[in-house]
């Protein structure tokens, strides 16, 4: 069996986020759907980037944000994703390296540009995401570094990557490599939009290839096509060993071997930007799991990370998660 060198290996969309504060009038004037993720083409990406007021460019991508959060907790982590050989691709690579996370996937030499998500944040912290997937979805099983996957205790798959058949094939391939090596596989459903588009494939993954599932309440209800939370939760518990379902200010519900556990959210003085909240919750939860902590403690770590990231602009931590966890009395 391969030696474990990483606590978590992430596989997902490598994206640069373009963050801008705005108001509802601007969203309406530009035809931007409020508080959801909308896929856009490259021309629309250039248009919205030019329209953004005082934009902040920062590396993002759901899975990459989680891996950066894990590094803030002090975990050893690696990332696999696809950028183009361009300026934004170089920025993404530099910023991953700055977190201490290996990112060695060969960039796309020709074709679409590095992916970007233009995120407009209103005063209530809501995020309206306009995502050009670009090079990130030009990902195939040949981009999966088998040795890196085998070297991770947990493989973390990002649902946003699921838009092309080649990417689906890469997901299944990576999960099979991980499980053959005796590793755990985690999946985040990412967005209701993704679940609506790929419900059958997600269900197949959850039932056959995944050990740990992350979802928010909306994604969970969509996955099982019901409006009843308890019904959906019971269905998820029947399909997977471990799951964490976030419910915004209601906290999260964690599924394990026994009865579901409800864990309260951490208080936040003011919500500045909800971008990355679910990503950082997953970072805390996975960190706890990688250190063998109880599920309730894993969820507490998730809420600590989520509370930090929504208190400022941007999807990655500005404070040390390790320090915040220790301040809360959690040592791992």
């Amino acid at each position: 069996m391969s030696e474990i060198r990483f606590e978590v290996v992430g596989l997902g969309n490598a994206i640069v986020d373009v963050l801008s504060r705005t108001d509802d009038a601007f969203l309406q004037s530009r035809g931007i759907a409020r508080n959801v993720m909308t896929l856009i083409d490259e021309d629309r990406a250039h248009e919205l980037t030019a329209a953004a007021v005082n934009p902040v460019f920062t590396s993002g991508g759901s899975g990459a944000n989680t891996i950066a959060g894990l590094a803030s907790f002090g975990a050893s982590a690696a990332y696999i994703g696809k950028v183009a050989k361009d300026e934004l691709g170089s920025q993404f690579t530099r910023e991953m390296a700055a977190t201490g996370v290996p990112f060695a996937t060969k960039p796309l030499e020709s074709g679409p540009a590095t992916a970007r998500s233009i995120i407009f944040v209103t005063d209530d912290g809501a995020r309206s995401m306009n995502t050009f997937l670009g090079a990130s979805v030009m990902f195939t099983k040949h981009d999966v570094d088998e040795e890196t996957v085998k070297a991770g205790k947990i493989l973390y798959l990002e649902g946003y990557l699921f838009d092309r058949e080649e990417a689906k094939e890469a997901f299944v391939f990576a999960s099979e490599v991980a499980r053959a090596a005796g590793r755990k596989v985690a999946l985040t459903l990412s967005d209701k939009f993704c679940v609506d588009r790929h419900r059958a494939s997600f269900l197949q993954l959850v039932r056959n290839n995944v050990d740990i599932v992350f979802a928010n309440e909306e994604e969970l209800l969509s996955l099982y096509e019901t409006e009843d939370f308890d019904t959906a939760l019971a269905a998820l518990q029947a399909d997977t060993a471990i799951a964490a379902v976030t419910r915004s200010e209601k906290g999260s519900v964690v599924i394990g071997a026994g009865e579901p556990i409800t864990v309260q959210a951490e208080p936040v003085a003011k919500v500045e930007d909800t971008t990355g909240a679910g990503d950082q919750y997953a970072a805390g939860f996975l960190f706890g799991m990688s250190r063998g902590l109880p599920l309730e403690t894993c969820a507490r770590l998730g809420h600590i990370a989520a509370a930090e990231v929504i208190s400022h602009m941007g999807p990655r931590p500005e404070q040390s998660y390790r320090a915040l966890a220790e301040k809360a009395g959690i040592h791992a």
Side-chain angles (χ1 to χ4, degrees), residues 60-325:
S62 174
N65 292 338
T66 297
I67 294 301
L70 277 152
S72 185
F73 274 110
S76 57
Y79 186 70
I80 301 170
K82 197 77 169 176
V83 297
K85 198 171 184 178
D86 57 19
E87 184 178 344
L88 290 184
S90 296
Q91 176 181 344
F92 184 94
T93 302
R94 287 194 308 271
E95 292 183 355
M96 288 305 288
T99 67
V101 174
F103 171 58
T105 313
K106 185 179 178 182
L108 190 67
E109 295 281 347
S110 62
T114 294
R116 76 180 83 169
S117 184
I118 306 96
I119 305 171
F120 295 100
V121 183
T122 48
D123 286 341
D124 60 355
R127 59 201 171 102
S128 303
M129 304 169 65
N130 304 267
T131 304
F132 164 60
L133 292 173
S136 70
V137 293
M138 307 303 290
F139 190 94
T140 73
K141 64 181 293 184
H142 302 294
D143 292 307
V144 176
D145 185 329
E146 292 186 54
E147 292 309 310
T148 298
V149 171
K150 291 176 184 177
K153 187 182 293 185
I154 301 171
L155 173 67
Y156 180 64
L157 302 172
E158 176 196 328
Y160 277 130
L161 187 57
F162 225 56
D163 258 322
R164 293 176 71 245
E165 288 302 319
E166 293 86 347
K168 291 180 185 179
E169 183 184 13
F171 255 48
V172 174
F173 175 68
S175 67
E176 289 174 345
V177 169
R179 298 191 89 176
R183 313 309 188 210
K184 297 292 185 184
V185 178
L187 169 71
T188 174
L189 300 185
S190 293
D191 192 281
K192 180 180 180 295
F193 173 86
C194 293
V195 179
D196 291 341
R197 286 168 65 88
H198 307 298
R199 183 176 294 106
S201 296
F202 276 160
L203 281 170
Q204 185 174 2
L205 269 176
V206 168
R207 290 166 177 162
N208 301 306
N209 300 86
V210 171
D211 305 289
I212 308 158
V213 175
F214 293 95
N216 64 28
E217 183 172 357
E218 189 179 35
E219 293 155 7
L220 175 66
L221 297 177
S222 175
L223 183 66
Y224 291 104
E225 298 182 275
T226 179
E227 295 182 2
D228 184 78
F229 180 78
D230 291 335
T231 297
L233 195 69
L236 183 61
Q237 187 164 24
D239 282 343
T240 192
I242 296 172
V245 182
T246 55
R247 308 185 77 185
S248 299
E249 68 279 358
K250 297 178 184 177
S252 62
V253 179
V254 180
I255 293 170
E259 290 295 313
I261 304 165
T262 298
V263 182
Q264 291 193 351
E266 290 287 309
V268 180
K270 183 183 178 183
V271 176
E272 292 287 345
D273 172 19
T274 58
T275 307
D279 305 336
Q280 299 308 332
Y281 176 92
F285 196 97
L286 288 170
F287 175 69
M289 286 213 65
S290 72
R291 299 294 172 98
L293 300 180
L295 292 181
E296 184 171 355
T297 305
C298 294
R300 280 192 63 206
L301 288 167
H303 286 303
I304 288 168
E308 190 280 336
V309 83
I310 66 175
S311 67
H312 59 77
M313 285 284 283
R316 297 190 179 180
E318 291 185 351
Q319 299 183 62
S320 164
Y321 285 166
R322 176 189 282 273
L324 291 175

Side-chain angles (χ1 to χ4, degrees), residues 19-68:
L19 294 150
S20 175
R21 290 197 177 279
T22 193
D23 55 27
D24 287 330
F26 175 87
L27 298 181
Q28 292 171 8
S29 71
R30 294 284 174 170
I32 297 169
R34 191 182 194 282
N35 204 31
V36 297
M37 192 277 282
T38 303
L39 289 179
I40 59 174
D41 60 21
E42 193 162 359
D43 288 342
R44 176 72 163 164
H46 289 308
E47 173 197 334
L48 293 181
T49 301
V53 177
N54 298 322
V56 175
F57 290 76
T58 180
S59 293
S62 174
N65 292 338
T66 297
I67 294 301

